[in-house]
């Protein structure tokens, strides 16, 4: 259709449809489910970093965190819930390395990528790992412990180093121990014992008190995290052996390990890197089909009394920036919500305006059309007037115009009756048995009424009128057709041709046969 109005309306509808579809197409948000084995400062820091990274990259990301409070069954349930919530990828720090393999396999079977971070489960069925090297953390702590004890006055006695592990069902405890024990094994001059802890400061405190009670004080206690190191410090203070036992931990967080080194409670702490933003980056790379490394080892470092202030400064600055980022992100999310609402409102207004424009165009088109028809009619009228008033056309005009005197005149009641009667008689005259009652009935009159009316108008009785009309018709048929006399007699309603002939003679003074010669 090439009608311009149709084209304009079609294009406007197209624009409205495009505006609607673009406003309705939601930008994909990648849902990252995070299953944390437990709580504590270290995990809170990772969580904050992951949340802050939600708006850091080119894609929309939603980080959903669940905390299992060191309970493996709870963690399994939480992973199920996260998957049911429709996450696109699972980030998990398994509470116990051997207990989560089946759950992880289930998640993988559903086609979801799985990132292990910080801890691993005993399975090779995972997409990627990201975290510090725990073997390296143990090794570096071993080397540093040697340095520390070597610098201590030992008065001829064998240096004594005690290791208190995290829960040995977890991979970091296994690997930290592996790294530390390896260094110790290379130094037979060291008296080295390893006691199994459970990541809590209470258990570390209890183990230390037990050791102090034996009267053989360790020169250095290495704990698998700074939390446990505070338990050791507590025992040392309580047993009044402060300064005699050096304490080393892992995690190196501001407000925790870093402060303990600054206060002199600890001789050092190994920074076990968090980098939540790198976890989110890795997740996005996997989800968007980009290249990624399967094993991603984050760099750690030893905090000592020598570098602690510098590390503290940097860490605080980083923490503050992270905190600011979270605030900015909250504001951003609020503005985004507002923007989305306004955007939808704007699109609705545009669509509304387009529909109004279409309605206006259609209305104007309809008005224009009717005016056009009106104008056409007017000009036709004018043409007609011109046609009839123009002298050359007058003759033609007369062809179609009936002179007034020939126009039908108003008819009287009697005239109407007479015409009706004439009609009815003509219709029925061929019936030789026609009765006056039948005639009257057809005219809507009784026999008497018919008699009076016919008599008044014609001066004849209905029977006389019928006979006269039959004979006149017969006369006309005799003179205008080749039908036989008998045929004509029957046609006009006479019972026998003889009777017809007699009546005819009486009426016209001659026999029907006379008219045929
Ligand atoms: C926190 C924590 C840290 C430790 C890490 C090992 O939950 O215990 O202190 O470095 O987990 O996975």
């Amino acid at each position: 259709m090439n009608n311009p109005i149709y084209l304009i309306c079609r294009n406007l509808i197209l624009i409205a449809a495009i505006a609607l579809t673009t406003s309705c197409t939601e930008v994909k948000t990648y849902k990252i489910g995070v299953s944390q084995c437990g709580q504590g400062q270290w995990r809170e820091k990772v969580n904050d970093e992951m949340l802050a990274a939600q708006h850091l990259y080119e894609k929309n990301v939603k980080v959903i965190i669940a905390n299992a409070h060191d309970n493996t069954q709870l963690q399994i349930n939480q992973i199920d819930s996260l998957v049911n919530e429709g996450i696109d990828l699972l980030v998990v720090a398994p509470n116990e390395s051997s207990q989560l393999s089946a759950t992880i396999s289930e998640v993988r079977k559903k086609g979801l990528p799985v990132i292990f971070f910080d801890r691993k489960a005993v399975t090779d069925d995972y997409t990627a790992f990201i975290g510090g090297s725990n073997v390296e953390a143990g090794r570096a702590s071993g080397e540093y412990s040697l340095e520390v004890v070597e610098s201590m006055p030992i008065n001829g006695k064998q240096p004594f180093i005690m290791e208190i592990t995290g829960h040995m069902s977890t991979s970091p405890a296994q690997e930290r121990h592996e790294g530390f024990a390896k260094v110790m094994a290379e130094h037979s001059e060291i008296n080295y014992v390893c006691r199994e802890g459970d990541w809590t400061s209470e258990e570390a405190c209890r183990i230390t008190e037990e050791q102090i009670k034996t009267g053989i004080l360790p020169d250095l206690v290495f704990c698998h995290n700074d939390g446990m190191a505070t338990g050791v410090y507590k025992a040392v203070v309580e047993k009044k052996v402060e300064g005699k036992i050096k304490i080393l931990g892992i995690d190196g967080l501001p407000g925790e390990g870093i402060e303990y080194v600054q206060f002199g409670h600890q001789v050092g702490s190994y920074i076990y890197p968090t980098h939540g933003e790198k976890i989110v980056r890795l997740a996005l790379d996997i989800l968007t089909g980009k290249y990624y490394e399967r094993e991603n080892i984050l760099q750690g470092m030893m905090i000592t009394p020598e570098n602690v202030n510098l590390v503290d400064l940097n860490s605080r600055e980083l923490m503050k920036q992270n905190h600011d980022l979270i605030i900015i992100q909250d504001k951003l999310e609020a503005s985004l919500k507002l923007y989305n609402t306004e955007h939808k409102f704007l699109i609705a207004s545009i669509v509304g305006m387009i529909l109004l424009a279409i309605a206006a165009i259609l209305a104007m088109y309809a008005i224009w059309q009717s005016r056009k028809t009106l104008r056409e009619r007017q000009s036709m009228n004018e043409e007609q007037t011109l046609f009839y008033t123009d002298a050359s056309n007058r003759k033609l005009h007369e062809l179609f115009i009936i002179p007034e005197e020939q126009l039908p005149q108003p008819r009287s009641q009697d005239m109407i009756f007479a015409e009706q009667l004439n009609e009815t008689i003509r219709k029925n005259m061929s019936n030789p048995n026609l009765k006056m009652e039948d005639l009257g009935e057809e005219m809507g009159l009784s026999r008497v009424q018919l008699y009076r009316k016919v008599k008044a108008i014609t001066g004849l009785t209905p029977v006389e009128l019928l006979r006269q009309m039959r004979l006149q018709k017969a006369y006309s048929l005799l003179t205008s057709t080749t039908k036989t006399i008998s045929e004509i007699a029957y046609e006009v309603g006479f019972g026998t041709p003889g009777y017809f002939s007699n009546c005819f003679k009486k009426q016209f003074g001659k026999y029907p046969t006379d008219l045929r010669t």
Side-chain angles (χ1 to χ4, degrees), residues 155-271:
N155 305 327
K157 81 172 174 65
Q158 195 186 11
F160 180 19
I161 293 176
M162 183 165 83
E163 176 187 4
I164 305 177
T165 70
H167 209 297
M168 284 307 270
S169 63
T170 66
S171 64
Q174 295 155 11
E175 291 170 6
R176 286 172 193 182
H177 169 67
E178 183 192 324
F180 194 79
K182 193 159 179 255
V183 177
M184 292 300 123
E186 286 161 7
H187 293 269
S188 52
E189 74 280 9
I190 305 287
N191 177 16
Y192 158 66
V193 292
C194 177
R195 306 288 302 277
E196 188 179 340
D198 62 1
W199 296 116
T200 67
S201 74
E202 293 74 21
E203 183 59 3
C205 181
R206 196 195 59 74
I207 294 169
T208 312
E209 279 176 351
E210 210 175 74
Q211 183 61 42
I212 293 170
K213 268 190 215 152
T214 63
I216 309 165
L217 299 189
D219 295 301
L220 183 141
V221 178
F222 162 57
C223 298
H224 279 193
N225 70 10
D226 291 329
M228 289 194 287
T230 60
V232 175
Y233 182 71
K234 196 170 165 240
V236 165
V237 172
E238 269 170 19
K239 297 291 170 196
K240 301 199 173 36
V241 286
E242 220 177 331
K244 290 193 180 151
I245 301 173
K246 304 285 181 201
I247 306 165
L248 178 61
I250 291 186
D251 280 348
L253 295 174
E256 212 190 33
I258 293 179
E259 237 170 53
Y260 305 151
V261 176
Q262 278 178 323
F263 294 161
H265 300 173
Q266 283 180 212
V267 71
S269 175
Y270 183 85
I271 295 182

Side-chain angles (χ1 to χ4, degrees), residues 37-43 70 118-119 134 170 172-173 176 199 224-227 250-251 256 272:
C37 54
Q39 62 274 58
Q41 277 203 41
W42 188 87
R43 298 210 178 266
D70 305 314
D118 155 44
R119 301 180 179 191
N134 284 297
T170 66
R176 286 172 193 182
W199 296 116
H224 279 193
N225 70 10
D226 291 329
I250 291 186
D251 280 348
E256 212 190 33
Y272 185 53

Side-chain angles (χ1 to χ4, degrees), residues 164-443:
I164 305 177
T165 70
H167 209 297
M168 284 307 270
S169 63
T170 66
S171 64
Q174 295 155 11
E175 291 170 6
R176 286 172 193 182
H177 169 67
E178 183 192 324
F180 194 79
K182 193 159 179 255
V183 177
M184 292 300 123
E186 286 161 7
H187 293 269
S188 52
E189 74 280 9
I190 305 287
N191 177 16
Y192 158 66
V193 292
C194 177
R195 306 288 302 277
E196 188 179 340
D198 62 1
W199 296 116
T200 67
S201 74
E202 293 74 21
E203 183 59 3
C205 181
R206 196 195 59 74
I207 294 169
T208 312
E209 279 176 351
E210 210 175 74
Q211 183 61 42
I212 293 170
K213 268 190 215 152
T214 63
I216 309 165
L217 299 189
D219 295 301
L220 183 141
V221 178
F222 162 57
C223 298
H224 279 193
N225 70 10
D226 291 329
M228 289 194 287
T230 60
V232 175
Y233 182 71
K234 196 170 165 240
V236 165
V237 172
E238 269 170 19
K239 297 291 170 196
K240 301 199 173 36
V241 286
E242 220 177 331
K244 290 193 180 151
I245 301 173
K246 304 285 181 201
I247 306 165
L248 178 61
I250 291 186
D251 280 348
L253 295 174
E256 212 190 33
I258 293 179
E259 237 170 53
Y260 305 151
V261 176
Q262 278 178 323
F263 294 161
H265 300 173
Q266 283 180 212
V267 71
S269 175
Y270 183 85
I271 295 182
Y272 185 53
T274 49
H275 291 300
E277 78 289 353
K278 289 193 176 158
I279 302 174
V280 174
R281 177 74 268 172
L282 174 63
L284 263 186
D285 286 347
I286 293 171
L287 286 170
T288 55
K290 286 198 186 138
Y291 172 79
Y292 64 91
E293 295 282 351
R294 191 164 189 246
E295 301 296 320
N296 301 273
I297 305 303
L298 303 173
Q299 190 65 45
M301 76 171 270
M302 187 61 75
I303 302 172
T304 65
E306 285 73 42
N307 65 15
V308 69
N309 289 334
L310 195 66
V311 173
D312 182 43
L313 209 71
N314 286 333
S315 301
R316 279 183 196 284
E317 187 51 36
L318 270 175
M319 293 270 279
K320 194 186 157 302
Q321 280 178 10
N322 209 52
H323 182 72
D324 291 350
L325 250 176
I326 291 177
I327 293 173
I328 292 170
Q329 179 192 303
D330 285 348
K331 288 190 176 167
L332 193 74
E333 263 178 23
S335 324
L336 264 175
K337 257 191 206 142
L338 191 72
Y339 164 80
N340 279 338
T341 326
E342 281 176 356
H343 182 247
K344 281 197 179 114
F345 182 73
L346 186 76
I347 295 295
S349 315
I350 290 175
V351 171
M353 270 153 55
I354 288 176
L355 292 179
L356 268 177
I358 293 173
I361 289 172
L362 290 177
M364 274 158 59
Y365 182 65
I367 293 171
W368 176 78
Q369 273 284 359
S370 65
R371 282 199 183 146
K372 196 176 142 201
T373 324
L374 212 72
R375 269 201 308 276
E376 279 170 1
R377 262 196 218 143
Q378 264 173 5
S379 77
M380 244 166 73
N381 284 347
E382 276 161 20
E383 265 173 41
Q384 270 178 1
T385 320
L386 207 71
F387 178 82
Y388 290 126
T389 47
D390 186 6
S392 58
N393 287 324
R394 228 166 269 148
K395 271 256 156 299
L396 253 170
H397 174 204
E398 279 157 13
L399 265 177
F400 299 100
I401 301 299
I402 307 160
E404 212 175 300
E405 55 280 9
Q406 284 176 28
L407 282 173
Q409 296 303 309
R411 293 174 308 153
S412 70
Q413 290 283 1
D414 289 346
M415 191 72 130
I416 294 168
F417 173 79
E419 273 171 14
Q420 252 179 340
L421 184 65
N422 186 20
E423 176 95 345
T424 317
I425 291 175
R426 277 183 195 289
K427 208 166 77 191
N428 296 295
M429 70 165 51
S430 57
N431 176 8
N433 302 319
L434 182 66
K435 308 238 166 1
M436 288 311 109
E437 284 88 343
D438 301 337
L439 215 56
E441 199 179 304
E442 218 169 297
M443 297 285 294

Side-chain angles (χ1 to χ4, degrees), residues 32-36 46-48 50-51 63-67 82:
I32 301 174
V34 180
S35 168
Q36 285 282 19
V46 190
N47 292 349
D48 281 354
M50 284 192 282
L51 291 172
V63 172
I64 310 158
I65 302 171
N67 181 344
L82 283 172

